[in-house]
Structures are given as structure tokens and as C-alpha cells.
Amino acid sequence: MAGDILESVVFRKVTIANGASLSGALNVQGYDVVAIQHPADTEGTAYTFQGSLDGETYVNMFSSTGAELSVTKSATLAQLIQLGVWAAAAQPEPPKEFKALVGFKIRTGTSAAATNQTGAVDILVGLRKVN
């Protein structure tokens, strides 16, 4: 049921500080990352990520094709971006690149061209418990 899916998602907040492009770390151990929600004043048109397998060392994340893992976002609208793909059984399937992470960080822009924020911005991250 759809209600079961919604009940299994929890939300955690990360902040990108004024003048920065990279959020603080979020512990996601035991969860799949399934969504990102940002306010309208979040600058930039893409998110990229840093991930960690030990919770201490964070590195830029790349897809299996070698491209920096990137999600397009609006530069002017508040958005909820679903990172999963809805399957026939109505179960979201999170991107495989986020599985098994201990922690991750969100960046506005890319590692080569980061977009600094002109004010602190809070971003909600939707997490689904791994069973």
C-alpha cells in the first residue's frame, strides 16, 4: 500500500552554509536515499554528491559510467526530487550508487564548478529503512 511506503520514509536535514557549496555529512547507514527537498532560494541547477563508506573520508561520487553523479534541479523553485524509479509494484528503487553508504554530503553544482550559496540553506533528505 502507498501508506506503507510513506510510513517507511524518514526525513533528515542537512545544511549548506552561507558561502559554501557542500553540506555537512549525513549518516545514512541502514537507509536508502530516496528523495531530496529544497527551498526556492537554493542556488544552482544541479546537485552532486560526496559519499563515505567509513563515515570519515568523503569522496566525490561517480556513476558506473564514470560520470559525476548529478541530479538536475530548479534554480528558482522549491522542489521535491524523487531519486528512485517507481516500479510496477509501486516500490521505489533508489539509485545503486547510494546503497551501502555510511554517510553522504550534497553539493550544489559540480566538483569542477560548485555553486556557493548566498545564505544558509536547509535541505531535507528522504531515507527509506533497509530491511
Side-chain angles (χ1 to χ4, degrees):
M1 290 184 117
D4 294 335
I5 293 169
L6 292 176
E7 290 172 11
S8 66
V9 176
V10 297
F11 298 92
R12 301 286 186 260
K13 180 176 69 172
V14 295
T15 301
I16 300 177
N18 180 31
S21 62
L22 190 63
S23 75
L26 178 64
N27 183 327
V28 297
Q29 191 168 20
Y31 292 90
D32 285 329
V33 180
V34 296
I36 299 172
Q37 181 176 327
H38 63 258
D41 61 350
T42 306
E43 299 184 46
T45 58
Y47 286 125
T48 55
F49 308 94
Q50 287 190 344
S52 176
L53 296 176
D54 63 7
E56 295 178 21
T57 303
Y58 286 82
V59 295
N60 295 327
M61 294 179 65
F62 293 84
S63 72
S64 58
T65 64
E68 187 168 25
L69 189 61
S70 178
V71 175
T72 301
K73 64 175 273 313
S74 170
T76 59
L77 299 174
Q79 283 182 302
L80 174 63
I81 301 170
Q82 170 142 346
L83 299 178
V85 175
W86 289 95
Q91 291 290 327
E93 183 56 37
K96 64 183 178 294
E97 290 87 358
F98 288 113
K99 290 185 176 284
L101 291 178
V102 170
F104 92 123
K105 298 177 182 184
I106 299 173
R107 176 190 298 110
T108 46
T110 65
S111 58
T115 304
N116 290 337
Q117 300 301 303
T118 57
V121 63
D122 292 329
I123 298 171
L124 289 177
V125 178
L127 303 170
R128 186 180 69 195
K129 187 113 174 113
V130 175
N131 293 325

